[in-house]
Amino acid sequence: METEGVEAVFLTTHNWGRAAQFFQALGYKLDFETDHNSGQLRNGDGPYVFIAEVPEDQEPQTRIVLKVPDADTFQPDPVVEVVTPFADTHYGTKEMTVRDPDGRLWSLQGTAGN
């Protein structure tokens, strides 16, 4: 089964406020902010950007999130290395992690029973 394109970009940062201001200066609008230094921004109908603050001892990361139509029925091709199978997230979706041939990690995200 195939993915349906880029759903989101997940970023971690050492300073949520500065990161949010940066994206707002590029035309992104704040969809929502959490009470734990994270939030979601969007620019038009394209993928959203979710930014979460991490401690200084963690290196900021970027993860591309691909959309799947239904996490419960999605079966990746055997050539795709599954690092972690679909699992429920605390934000109401299911997420799987896969590794590409160069070692990069990708997230696949979908809802259950779509």
Side-chain angles (χ1 to χ4, degrees):
M1 185 175 280
E2 297 178 354
T3 63
E4 296 181 333
V6 176
E7 172 82 356
V9 176
F10 285 178
L11 302 174
T12 56
T13 182
H14 291 143
N15 188 313
W16 151 249
R18 285 183 46 199
Q21 286 177 334
F22 171 80
F23 279 95
Q24 288 171 319
L26 294 174
Y28 283 76
K29 305 288 186 228
L30 184 65
D31 276 349
F32 64 85
E33 182 175 353
T34 71
D35 59 357
H36 51 272
N37 295 329
S38 64
Q40 181 173 298
L41 299 103
R42 188 177 299 274
N43 188 340
D45 293 331
Y48 63 86
V49 174
F50 189 88
I51 304 169
E53 190 171 293
V54 295
E56 288 292 326
D57 64 342
Q58 291 182 21
E59 180 146 353
Q61 301 287 317
T62 302
R63 174 100 38 113
I64 306 295
V65 181
L66 304 177
K67 182 179 182 179
V68 299
D70 183 343
D72 288 338
T73 61
F74 183 83
Q75 294 295 317
D77 187 285
V79 73
V80 176
E81 178 189 350
V82 175
V83 177
T84 58
F86 275 112
D88 293 330
T89 66
H90 68 279
Y91 41 89
T93 65
K94 289 191 171 208
E95 191 171 289
M96 168 188 277
T97 302
V98 297
R99 187 182 331 270
D100 73 19
D102 293 310
R104 288 179 290 261
L105 297 178
W106 297 76
S107 294
L108 305 182
Q109 180 176 279
T111 56
N114 260 357

